[in-house]
Amino acid sequence: MPLTFPQAVRNLPAPPLFPLTFLLGRLMRRVAARHPAILTRLGPHAGARILIDAQEGPVLFLMEPAARRLTAHDRSHVPPHDACITGPMADFLSMLHGLEDGDTLFFSGRLTISGDTSAVLALRNALDDAELDLTEEIIATLAAGDAAARLMRWGLRRAGALAGVSLHRQPEDR
Amino acid sequence: MELVCPAGTPAALRAALEAGADAVYCGFADETNARNFPGLNFSRPELAAAIDLAHARGKKVLVAINTFPRAGAEPMWHRAIADAARFGADAIILADPGLLAHAADRHPDQRLHLSVQAAAANADAINLYAREFGVRRVVLPRVLSVEEIAAITPEISVETEAFVFGGLCVMAEGRCSLSSYATGQSPNMNGVCSPASHVAYDSAGGQQSARLGGYLIHQRPQGATMPYPTLCKGCFTSRGETGHIFEDPVSLDASRLVPALARAGVTALKIEGRQRSRAYVAEVVRAFRAVVAAIGSDTPPPAAALARLAEGQAATTGAYAKTWR
């Protein structure tokens, strides 16, 4: 019987944290540079440390917007944080790409939050306004050339379709 | 009928226009509007650009400045009105009589709408605002049945705008003090009901709890549906019974009543949800665009099927079809 996306991810070995954090840090700095309105919209909440717990994932992510830092952490060593958002990775990606509404996910019990509610709300609203496209941000972060970018777009779209998750913005959302 | 849609961010405004909004309502990122939430609303440059974008597409932007100024802090509200007028807002939505007088006096050419926060629920009250301040449209409080709206419209000289989808308040809009009681802040004075800074969620023992200002207002099994953390939707125990004392956590969906609202003389249909994402805005606006398109045709309005987006994942026709009186 084929594995679902959460099952497949859960079965993956935990990635080495240092290279993952290095790449996430580059991605975060790139996003902050390309979308400065995110930090403006976060305002006084930019300094909050927000833990993202994608339930099926092998690691936790800590986002520190003001420091332009996104780090990966082993589940057995939860880092100090001001707020935590817990839910399926597929839902986080759908929200990021404007396919799902955060309140709807919250009403249905799929997303739960704890800690600084204001910071979570500000982050949700700032990211929703930014209309990010994760595929394009990864391509920009890696400074991929035209041919490599085309290949990555194709590969990430195929990977997203196979996994049933959104890795890019839908054409009609542009 | 005009479809008036919410936008808490420029991205949501673009989504609303793409999905078929005739007009979009929004507010500044401060206490002058009743959705003053973290990370939400428009800066001055964002609002000016949004109005230009909407006008380029032949659509309207209505600016909500619908809170009640605190004594001594009026300049913030006066600046908001002046800026909205300068940017070319198609209407400013106001609730406070003092602000209405100020706007009518200083910006006599500016179209004014009366906010739902003014709670003008009868012809006499609506005509007073029209006569004294030149209000051109009233957003009807969500306490009226369709029959009552049909009785009011012939007796007033202004347009009417009726909510058709989204969150519901207790039936005293602009006068509710529940949030103030628990947190010291209210939608009426501070633009925020149940401010996030006073909300705390906690998970323990398979239960998720929500507290507002320290008061436990919900406790549900992990993964169960959860409403907004407002006292009015809270679940309390009283006289040995546990339940929703004020109102059930359900949202308004009057899609099937749109033809009746049209016959009652309603000019515009309003969708609630400036605090929601661009995904919500796009889906709800598209659904109601189809409902409006079906008015006057032989086909019944399409079922909106939007319950999953609603608070409590359940919908009601609210007071429009009330049977309890």
Side-chain angles (χ1 to χ4, degrees):
Chain A
M1 190 175 174
L3 294 176
T4 63
F5 176 68
Q7 288 167 335
V9 172
R10 208 174 292 126
N11 288 345
L12 288 174
L17 294 181
F18 177 74
L20 181 59
T21 287
F22 176 76
L23 287 173
L24 291 173
R26 281 193 65 175
L27 178 67
M28 188 73 176
R29 289 191 294 277
R30 186 78 197 185
V31 168
R34 281 162 57 99
H35 305 275
I38 294 176
L39 282 173
T40 307
R41 203 163 266 285
L42 279 169
H45 307 288
R49 300 164 300 175
I50 300 174
L51 190 69
I52 299 165
D53 179 357
Q55 287 158 317
E56 69 274 21
V59 296
L60 302 168
F61 300 100
L62 185 70
M63 184 181 285
E64 299 168 89
R68 294 162 173 76
R69 209 158 38 221
L70 180 60
T71 49
H73 299 265
D74 191 287
R75 284 190 171 276
S76 59
H77 296 92
V78 179
H81 56 276
D82 303 301
C84 178
I85 317 172
T86 304
M89 177 59 89
D91 286 344
F92 286 130
L93 291 169
S94 292
M95 266 200 302
L96 187 72
H97 291 126
L99 300 173
E100 265 294 1
D101 173 66
D103 285 8
T104 300
L105 294 170
F106 175 79
F107 294 150
S108 67
R110 293 174 64 142
L111 281 190
T112 56
I113 60 178
S114 61
D116 185 344
T117 311
S118 297
V120 173
L121 209 53
L123 180 66
R124 191 277 306 265
N125 292 331
L127 291 179
D128 192 57
D129 185 53
E131 299 178 305
L132 295 177
D133 184 321
L134 187 58
T135 293
E136 296 305 319
E137 298 303 333
I138 290 171
I139 289 170
T141 300
L142 299 176
D146 285 350
R150 275 196 298 275
L151 189 64
M152 287 179 68
R153 275 189 203 100
W154 178 84
L156 287 170
R157 272 164 205 256
R158 290 282 299 159
L162 284 170
V165 297
S166 165
L167 295 177
H168 64 94
R169 274 178 67 192
Q170 304 301 304
E172 61 269 28
D173 190 37
R174 288 177 192 277
Chain B
M1 295 175 95
E2 186 176 296
L3 192 55
V4 182
C5 306
T9 62
L13 180 133
R14 289 190 291 274
L17 294 176
E18 287 292 325
D22 297 308
V24 181
Y25 67 104
C26 49
F28 290 118
D30 56 32
E31 292 175 280
T32 61
N33 82 92
R35 287 285 184 270
N36 179 26
F37 294 120
L40 206 65
N41 293 315
F42 289 64
S43 66
R44 260 53 176 182
E46 284 173 341
L47 187 70
I51 291 173
D52 288 346
L53 175 72
H55 287 176
R57 297 184 182 195
K59 309 297 182 186
K60 300 176 188 168
V61 174
L62 319 179
V63 180
I65 305 175
N66 56 347
T67 48
F68 298 83
R70 294 184 309 283
E74 300 91 339
M76 183 196 295
W77 279 261
H78 293 170
R79 276 197 302 275
I81 291 171
D83 288 342
R86 181 163 56 88
F87 297 152
D90 295 281
I92 299 177
I93 308 167
L94 298 168
D96 179 68
L99 286 183
L100 282 158
H102 171 88
D105 180 51
R106 304 292 175 86
H107 307 280
D109 297 328
Q110 176 65 56
R111 182 181 169 95
L112 303 178
H113 290 181
L114 188 65
S115 169
V116 68
Q117 287 284 94
N122 59 62
D124 287 345
I126 295 167
N127 285 332
L128 173 80
Y129 284 102
R131 186 177 65 245
E132 297 299 323
F133 309 118
V135 161
R136 306 274 292 279
R137 179 185 293 180
V138 57
V139 183
L140 295 169
R142 287 163 277 192
V143 296
L144 300 168
S145 66
V146 174
E147 291 74 19
E148 286 166 333
I149 294 171
I152 287 173
T153 50
E155 295 184 25
I156 60 176
S157 57
V158 301
E159 299 172 358
T160 52
E161 185 172 302
F163 278 96
V164 286
F165 191 84
L168 284 171
C169 279
V170 289
M171 305 301 185
E173 286 162 301
R175 295 162 194 171
C176 176
S177 293
L178 287 173
S179 177
S180 296
Y181 175 78
T183 72
Q185 294 184 43
S186 75
N188 316 323
M189 305 293 285
N190 312 97
V192 58
C193 177
S194 308
S197 54
H198 291 67
V199 175
Y201 293 103
D202 189 33
S203 298
Q207 298 278 314
Q208 190 184 22
S209 58
R211 284 184 162 74
L212 179 68
Y215 297 100
L216 178 65
I217 57 173
H218 299 291
Q219 195 162 45
R220 304 278 172 91
Q222 201 79 38
T225 60
M226 186 65 106
Y228 280 127
T230 57
L231 276 185
C232 60
K233 309 285 172 60
C235 187
F236 304 103
T237 300
S238 173
R239 295 176 184 171
E241 288 188 22
T242 299
H244 298 281
I245 302 293
F246 296 100
E247 62 177 321
D248 289 338
V250 296
S251 284
L252 176 69
D253 182 355
S255 51
R256 68 180 179 81
L257 297 176
V258 166
L261 289 169
R263 288 193 297 275
V266 169
T267 315
L269 305 175
K270 185 166 206 158
I271 295 166
E272 186 273 347
R274 281 190 287 140
Q275 74 283 11
R276 305 292 290 267
S277 69
R278 66 187 201 270
Y280 164 93
V281 169
E283 189 167 347
V284 178
V285 175
R286 265 197 299 270
F288 273 90
R289 184 79 265 163
V291 169
V292 170
I295 297 174
S297 71
D298 293 334
T299 53
L306 298 169
R308 73 175 196 90
L309 295 171
E311 183 178 17
Q313 314 261 281
T316 172
T317 52
Y320 290 133
K322 65 188 168 193
T323 54
W324 62 81
R325 199 180 269 177

